[in-house]
């Protein structure tokens, strides 16, 4: 999970949010509750939040990834418009731009109707997940901060340590260790260089190796938070960064 930035509220919501919310509220009043609204009528009332002009900026803000688990549609199904506070409990928030998140079908199903207003979980638009979460091997864990209980509940509610997520993390971890070993070899070659020219060429190889491993932590990549956490603790990577930085001074 990584920090996300909300795009501005789409024009279609600015112009229609109030009326769509009123229509839904009238149906709630007519039938006595949200759950009692007939299925077909409810579908017609709610279809607006799936408007393309809403989905496009929302999904772009997460770079087409799930806001919770960072998978892409090919891993966990299509990205959907998720209501952070469930619309079944809070129909007045059914068309609230600040209540939308892009989430994969798996996380959406896992979160279900969890009440985030009474039992908060991490909203990556409002909180920085990097300050709350860390990774131990292929499992996501929480740091010992004031947000520890919120982090632990997020992992549980969204099933962030399920097999479907640990397996691809394991595959990426193998690649990361491979890149780390390559950087370590490049650093050793650098220190063993007999001439300035050879040292310069070997620095270039270190820089190229850094570019490859850093590409995995780019925000557009799946599990970028996991990769970033690995690099923070990877000693060969940190030493390589220092060598390249010294070259530029």
């Amino acid at each position: 999970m990584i920090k996300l930035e909300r795009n501005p509220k789409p024009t279609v919501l600015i112009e229609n949010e109030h009326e769509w919310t009123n229509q839904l509220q009238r149906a709630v009043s007519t039938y006595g509750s949200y759950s009692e609204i007939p299925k077909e009528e409810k579908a017609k009332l709610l279809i607006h939040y799936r408007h393309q002009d809403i989905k496009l900026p929302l999904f772009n803000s997460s770079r087409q990834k799930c806001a919770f688990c960072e998978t892409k549609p090919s891993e966990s199904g299509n990205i959907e418009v998720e209501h952070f506070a469930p619309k079944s409990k809070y129909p007045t928030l059914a068309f609230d731009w600040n209540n939308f998140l892009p989430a994969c079908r798996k996380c959406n199903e896992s979160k279900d109707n969890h009440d985030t207003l009474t039992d908060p979980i991490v909203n990556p638009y409002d909180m920085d997940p990097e300050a709350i979460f860390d990774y131990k091997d292929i499992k996501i864990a929480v740091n010992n901060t004031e947000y520890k209980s919120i982090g632990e509940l997020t992992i549980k509610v969204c099933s962030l340590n399920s097999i479907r997520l640990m397996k691809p993390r394991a595959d990426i971890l193998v690649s990361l260790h491979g890149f780390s070993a390559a950087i370590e070899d490049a650093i050793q070659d650098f220190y063993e260089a007999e001439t300035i020219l050879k040292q310069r060429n070997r620095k270039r190889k270190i820089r190229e190796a850094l570019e490859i491993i850093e590409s995995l932590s780019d925000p557009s990549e799946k599990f970028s938070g996991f990769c970033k956490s690995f690099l923070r603790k990877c000693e060969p990577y940190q030493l390589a960064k220092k060598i390249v930085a010294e070259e530029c001074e």
Side-chain angles (χ1 to χ4, degrees):
M1 193 183 295
I2 59 173
K3 182 76 174 69
L4 302 180
E5 300 297 330
R6 280 192 187 88
N7 284 320
K9 182 190 286 190
T11 303
V12 69
L13 270 178
I14 295 172
E15 295 176 346
N16 298 289
E17 176 185 352
H18 184 68
E19 178 56 28
W20 291 342
T21 304
N22 283 344
Q23 290 173 359
L24 183 60
Q25 281 295 90
R26 283 196 291 271
V28 171
S29 298
T30 299
Y31 294 100
S33 71
Y34 177 90
S35 62
E36 294 299 320
I37 302 173
K39 187 176 178 180
E40 288 187 2
E41 185 171 344
K42 189 186 294 180
K44 288 180 182 177
L45 290 166
L46 292 174
I47 195 171
H48 307 301
Y49 77 76
R50 299 191 187 95
H51 195 288
Q52 192 63 24
D53 290 351
I54 294 174
K55 291 199 292 187
L56 189 62
L58 186 70
F59 297 174
N60 284 345
S61 72
S62 70
R63 299 169 177 82
Q64 309 297 320
K65 297 191 299 182
C66 174
F68 294 116
C69 72
E70 277 204 272
T71 57
K72 293 188 174 182
S74 57
E75 284 92 30
S76 300
N78 291 334
I79 303 296
E80 301 173 340
V81 179
E82 207 275 323
H83 291 81
F84 189 65
K87 58 186 179 302
S88 59
K89 297 181 185 295
Y90 304 98
T92 57
L93 301 178
F95 304 103
D96 185 336
W97 178 239
N98 293 328
N99 194 38
F100 293 158
L101 277 95
C104 72
R105 189 162 300 166
K106 296 289 186 183
C107 283
N108 207 352
E109 289 174 353
S110 180
K111 180 174 169 289
D112 198 21
N113 286 329
H114 175 78
D115 192 336
T116 56
L117 297 191
T118 58
D119 296 301
I121 63 173
V122 174
N123 184 331
Y125 284 119
D126 301 329
M127 306 174 78
D128 184 358
E130 283 188 45
I132 299 169
F133 298 107
D134 198 359
Y135 291 86
K136 292 182 179 178
D137 195 41
I138 58 174
K139 297 183 75 173
I140 189 170
V142 292
N143 295 319
N144 191 23
T145 68
E146 59 182 311
Y147 303 111
K148 184 177 180 181
S149 60
I150 294 177
E152 289 174 338
L153 186 59
T154 307
I155 293 172
K156 182 179 179 181
V157 168
C158 298
S159 299
L160 297 181
N161 277 328
S162 61
I163 296 297
R164 79 171 176 97
L165 297 175
M166 287 197 291
K167 189 175 184 307
R169 281 184 205 140
D171 292 339
I172 291 175
L173 188 60
V174 170
S175 297
L176 287 167
H177 279 300
F179 287 130
S180 174
I183 288 176
E184 204 165 5
D185 289 343
I187 291 172
Q188 185 174 345
D189 288 345
F190 167 77
Y191 283 127
E192 291 175 353
E194 302 89 353
T195 66
I196 296 295
L197 180 59
K198 283 185 177 179
Q199 197 174 58
R200 188 179 301 147
N201 288 336
R202 291 174 185 181
K203 275 186 179 179
R204 177 173 50 78
K205 289 185 177 179
I206 293 174
R207 192 184 307 110
E208 290 171 353
L210 283 176
E211 289 174 358
I212 293 173
I213 198 169
E214 286 177 342
S215 68
L216 296 175
S217 64
D218 186 274
S220 64
E221 295 294 324
K222 62 181 181 181
F223 303 109
S224 64
F226 171 66
C227 295
K228 202 171 178 181
S229 171
F230 176 89
L231 294 184
R232 278 198 299 269
K233 293 175 274 190
C234 178
E235 293 182 4
Y237 169 77
Q238 296 298 337
L239 178 55
K241 291 286 285 184
K242 186 178 178 184
I243 291 171
V244 170
E246 287 173 348
E247 178 196 37
C248 298
E249 288 175 353

